Structure formats: C-alpha cells, structure tokens
Amino acid sequence: MVGSGAREHALAWALAKSADVVVTPGNAGMTAHGLVCVSTPASELESELFVIGPDQFVVDGLADELRAQGKTVVGPGADGARLEGSKAFMKEFLTAAGVPTAAYGVFDDEEAALAFLATMTPPYVIKTDGLAAGKGVLVTHDLAAATTDVREKLSGAAFSGAGTTVVIEEGLEGEECSLFVLCDGTDALCLVPAQDFKRVGDNDQGPNTGGMGAYAPMMAMSSQRIDEIVRLIVTPTLSELKRRGIDYRGVLYAGLMVSPAGVKLLEYNVRFGDPEAQVVVPLYGDGLYDLLLRVGEGRLAGASAVPTGAAVTVILASAGYPQSPRTGEVIHGLGPDGQLATPLENVIIFHAGTTRNGEGQFVTSGGRVLAVTGLGANVAEARRRAYEGASLVNFKGSVRRSDIARLASEGEK
Ligand code: AMP
Ligand code: GLY
C-alpha cells in the first residue's frame, strides 16, 4: 500500500483482513494500529499486489514504473492518470466519449477567458488545470470574485504548481455523488455510492477542502440511477479508453452531479477518494483484497461485491484548514494504538496527519488530522457512532463539521 493518509490507513486496514500488508511510507497512526510501515520506496519492495493511494504518485507514473518491473498494480499508468492530472484533457476526453458533462472552455489567455466568463450565468465555476489537492476550484455567484480568480490562476498568483491554464465551466446544481468504479482494463464493477462534504463549514459554507466527511451508501442513488450512470458514463468511458489504447487498471472515481434532469460527470479521479474510502471500504468486510487483486490481474469478469451496512466518517482538521493549517498540537483522547482511549464498538479512527512527539503523544502534522468512522446497520446509526467517537477526541483549534450525513440519516426515518 503506497501512501500516508487516512484513505491509505482505511485501505491497508481492510486489506490486512486477508493479506499481509506493508505500507510505504504510512504514518504514526497506522504503525500504532499494528500495520507494518516502511520508508523503502515501492520500487524496492516485493509483493503480490501494489495498491497506490494518492493521486500525485499515479499522475507521476508510479504504476508504469512498477509494471515495468513485472509487478501487479492497482492504479492506471500516466496515460490514464491524465484524466485527473489535467482537467482540460479530461473535458476533451469526455466530449470525445460523449459523456454528459458541464459546458466548458479552456484558456491560457486573460482576454479570451474573461470574454467567455461574461457569456456564462451564475454560479461561475473556475478550475485550475492541474492537481491542487481538491482546492483549485472556485464556485461563486459573484462575477467580480470569479474575474479575480481567473486573473490569479492565469497569472500564477494562485496554484502555479498546478499550471496556469484555467477551465471555466457551466455551474451545475444537484446532489453530488462519488462512485468508485473498479476497472481491470476491460471490465468494470461499481462499488457502493458515497457522498463527500467538500466545503469546510456546516451547510456547505466556506472554501472547498479535500473533504470534511462522507457517508455510504448514498441511498438517494437507486439501482436504476446506477444502471443509467453505467450506460451513459462508465461504458462510453471504457470504450474511449480502449480506443486510445489505454489499459486502465485501477479505480476510476466518478464525481457526479445528480439532478432530476439527469446525471452529469463533474470530474474523474484516478484513485480512491479521501474521505470516501474511509466509508466505502469498511462495507466490504474481508473482500477487498480479492477484488483489488482481480483489478490488477485483469480478472474482474464474474467478480461480485456485496456491501453490508453503512458508514459515516467525520474529519477532524487543524485550525486554519484549508488555507493555512496550524500543526503541532497534542491530540487528547487516543490510546497507545491510536484508537479511542475509551473504546467504542464500531468506531475506527483512521489517521491522516499525525505524528508522535518525544513523549509518545500523538500530535497534529497536517490539515486533515483524523477520520473518525462509525459503522452501523444504517446511516443514522453509523452517524451517531461517528459523532460519539469524534466527541472523545480533541486538540487545540480542531475543526469539524456537525452536519455530515445529517440529511441522509433523517431521510431514513
Ligand atoms: P472538482 O475538483 O472538479 O471535483 O471540483 C471540486 C468541487 O467543486 C466539486 O466537488 C463540486 O462541489 C464543485 N464543482 C466542480 N465543478 C462544478 C460545476 N460544474 N458546477 C457546480 N459545482 C462544481
Ligand atoms: N474526496 C475528494 C477526493 O478524494 O478527491
């Protein structure tokens, strides 16, 4: 398992139910939880299966490097990873594949960009082309703010590491859904739909983040809806990948906008979502290893995956996240294993940004610090457990949303 966040902690924990797992590099919370973490790079390790967690490694071509060594890998090569690495490429791909998506324009030039913006109606959506940890997208009703954002992205004043090309899009309304589609180069298998909460504050206020919480299954997505998504979005995508000679073995993460008028694809990512993995993976019991091995080996045909129950995860983030997180705070409420000092049944803590100080205490070391996951028979029960668990953990300035999965759990009553 390659990576060091809460997503990788959840994946490694689930894989360890049926395999010996080594994580590179992992984090302090995984080690405490009994997972073997090493600093050796993946290219110098031997394993039956390599699973790559973070987008940057996939986009940088780690899967190609490992496959060139004869290894079995979950994660597309750099060719398939362009779906996430460049939003301009992704939009062009979707158009070629005939996948429904927001109308858009791609710009390097301010005059043309602002002229296009003037033709759009609010909400305005401005995206930086390259990887920006989920933070490179502005959605606003304020034309002046949109104009400033276009200027800053084009000039490199904002997100210059992700390039200075911008994508301006039609604003879509509806419910967002994250659907992880396992692909083995030919066949595909959808995992249970999940919902992520991207804005930092309650009621979707404040800036976009990497994700402040999630739940699964998303009951609002009926099996007819999923069938429609497979027909209109997944199948055309697989055909277009084939047509371009891209052998896509990994997770194709469809970020969807669902409205009564239909479903449109907001974006593709080329790996599991974080924090969605922390609620999807636990629903498959000890079945994850077999599924992912089939992905890597191109043997997905005939595989089935039946999820059980529901999960909710609440992210505890550092003060100042996402703009300028303040780290180095001692975390209270965790035991030596990095789990709740006072254990609660069906609550698991996945570590994102933690390390240990000289006294062995866990301290914060990143924007997102912990993902507290509750499991239950339904979303309401899972939510109660997640929040009960989260209430037992504290550090100075900790930020959390109080409304993760609230509407979904009310909808079950
Ligand atoms: P992306 O990185 O493309 O998924 O964008 C991050 C977030 O911005 C999405 O999860 C949505 O909440 C929002 N977003 C992106 N594109 C659009 C759009 N065309 N219309 C409305 N919201 C959007
Ligand atoms: N949860 C959003 C992402 O992983 O990109």
Side-chain angles (χ1 to χ4, degrees):
M1 180 77 231
V2 180
S4 62
R7 163 185 49 205
E8 289 76 25
H9 187 170
L11 286 162
W13 167 84
L15 293 169
K17 292 174 188 288
S18 39
D20 293 324
V21 178
V22 172
V23 192
T24 172
N27 65 34
M30 297 189 213
T31 305
H33 205 191
L35 292 160
V36 177
C37 298
V38 299
S39 55
T40 317
S43 59
E44 292 171 27
L45 293 168
E46 289 304 325
S47 179
E48 188 178 37
L49 181 67
F50 289 76
V51 181
I52 309 175
D55 46 5
Q56 191 75 56
F57 286 107
V58 187
V59 170
D60 289 347
L62 178 59
D64 298 313
E65 184 186 344
L66 297 176
R67 286 197 180 99
Q69 297 175 327
K71 291 167 174 166
T72 302
V73 186
V74 174
D79 52 0
R82 287 183 75 204
L83 282 176
E84 176 163 5
S86 165
K87 289 188 189 289
F89 171 81
M90 174 197 43
K91 295 296 281 191
E92 180 271 317
F93 181 101
L94 297 179
T95 307
V99 169
T101 187
Y104 74 106
V106 180
F107 303 96
D108 293 308
D109 166 70
E110 183 172 312
E111 199 178 327
L114 294 181
F116 183 78
L117 186 65
T119 68
M120 305 300 277
T121 51
Y124 305 101
V125 181
I126 320 294
K127 302 185 175 185
T128 195
D129 180 50
L131 292 183
K135 298 163 210 157
V137 176
L138 178 73
V139 181
T140 180
H141 281 81
D142 179 352
L143 182 59
T147 304
T148 304
D149 193 61
V150 167
R151 290 208 172 103
E152 286 180 353
K153 282 173 178 158
L154 282 174
S155 70
F159 303 108
S160 59
T164 54
T165 298
V166 295
V167 176
I168 300 178
E169 275 186 21
E170 167 196 14
L172 301 176
E173 315 257 335
E175 280 240 46
E176 280 186 61
C177 171
S178 300
L179 185 68
F180 299 157
V181 185
L182 301 182
C183 300
D184 72 351
T186 303
D187 290 294
L189 179 72
C190 296
L191 299 184
V192 62
Q195 191 163 50
D196 174 22
F197 292 73
K198 290 233 167 67
R199 303 279 185 147
V200 73
D202 278 5
N203 302 312
D204 295 332
Q205 299 300 304
N208 269 326
T209 69
M212 293 298 291
Y215 72 90
M218 187 175 168
M219 298 305 281
M221 300 291 284
S222 64
S223 60
Q224 289 95 313
R225 266 280 194 232
I226 302 287
D227 290 347
E228 180 193 338
I229 291 164
V230 168
R231 185 165 50 81
L232 297 177
I233 296 179
V234 175
T235 304
T237 298
L238 295 180
S239 307
E240 183 67 15
L241 286 166
K242 268 249 144 68
R243 198 182 67 74
R244 295 185 185 217
I246 298 173
D247 183 22
Y248 195 106
R249 298 183 187 210
V251 180
L252 184 66
Y253 157 163
L256 304 160
M257 187 69 95
V258 184
S259 76
V263 182
K264 287 191 176 175
L265 188 85
L266 286 176
E267 62 160 352
Y268 274 132
N269 294 315
V270 298
R271 33 109 197 147
F272 283 102
D274 186 344
E276 296 96 316
Q278 291 92 301
V279 294
V280 169
V281 155
L283 306 188
Y284 290 92
D286 62 3
L288 187 70
Y289 185 73
D290 178 60
L291 282 174
L292 294 189
L293 189 62
R294 283 165 171 272
V295 167
E297 292 181 343
R299 291 191 295 108
L300 209 46
S304 67
V306 183
T308 312
V312 173
T313 198
V314 177
I315 299 290
L316 309 190
S318 294
Y321 179 72
Q323 293 93 341
S324 47
R326 196 179 64 222
T327 59
E329 300 293 351
V330 173
I331 304 170
H332 304 283
L334 300 180
D337 62 354
Q339 298 297 300
L340 289 174
T342 318
L344 283 179
E345 219 180 319
N346 289 309
V347 175
I348 312 158
I349 300 196
F350 298 119
H351 286 238
T354 69
T355 178
R356 294 182 98 151
N357 64 15
E359 287 132 67
Q361 296 166 303
F362 286 97
V363 293
T364 66
S365 64
R368 292 189 291 180
V369 177
L370 299 168
V372 183
T373 296
L375 306 175
N378 53 35
V379 174
E381 189 176 87
R383 178 171 198 269
R384 207 163 45 242
R385 290 189 171 131
Y387 273 106
E388 194 182 346
S391 74
L392 299 175
V393 185
N394 257 301
F395 51 89
K396 217 161 116 200
S398 102
V399 174
R400 66 194 73 182
R401 279 180 67 157
S402 68
D403 63 348
I404 304 300
R406 181 167 52 83
L407 293 176
S409 65
E410 284 168 2
E412 287 176 334
K413 285 180 196 139

